[in-house]
Amino acid sequence: MTIPTGSGGGRRIEVQPRASRRHYAATFSTIKVEYVHRRHFRTRTEARLEIATWITDFYNRRRRHSVCDWRSPIDYKRSETRALEAQAA
């Protein structure tokens, strides 16, 4: 959905549905609680690099997610692959 900015220039901004905003808020809250608030960063660049590394190395790969039946995405993918291979055999 888009809404006018009110600046008179005809510009419009994209507005995310409430469900999407809640999802983003929950994700960033988790990142803050589990990583950011437990660290001290000397610079913004250091913070960006370390947070991005943590997200790609831990949060997306090893952290247990409810959508994966409380397994890590890697373990979930492995079990789903095994199940599909068993069905095909």
Side-chain angles (χ1 to χ4, degrees):
M1 175 171 90
T2 60
I3 59 171
T5 61
S7 62
R11 293 179 33 214
R12 299 174 78 76
I13 59 171
E14 188 71 25
V15 177
Q16 297 294 324
R18 286 186 181 162
S20 294
R21 289 191 304 244
R22 282 191 294 256
H23 174 73
Y24 294 136
T27 300
F28 285 111
S29 176
T30 299
I31 292 168
K32 286 180 183 179
V33 168
E34 292 186 12
Y35 189 75
V36 175
H37 292 170
R38 297 177 184 186
R39 306 271 187 292
H40 175 75
F41 305 104
R42 290 176 290 202
T43 64
R44 284 181 176 243
T45 302
E46 178 186 14
R48 283 187 197 115
L49 288 171
E50 288 191 27
I51 292 167
T53 301
W54 181 80
I55 289 170
T56 57
D57 290 349
F58 175 74
Y59 187 79
N60 286 340
R61 294 184 186 173
R62 295 188 302 247
R63 184 177 179 273
R64 294 177 185 166
H65 295 269
S66 60
V67 75
C68 298
D69 297 326
W70 293 108
R71 292 178 281 175
S72 71
I74 290 173
D75 291 340
Y76 182 79
K77 181 79 170 178
R78 285 180 186 148
S79 67
E80 291 296 309
T81 302
R82 281 189 217 116
L84 289 173
E85 287 172 351
Q87 285 179 350

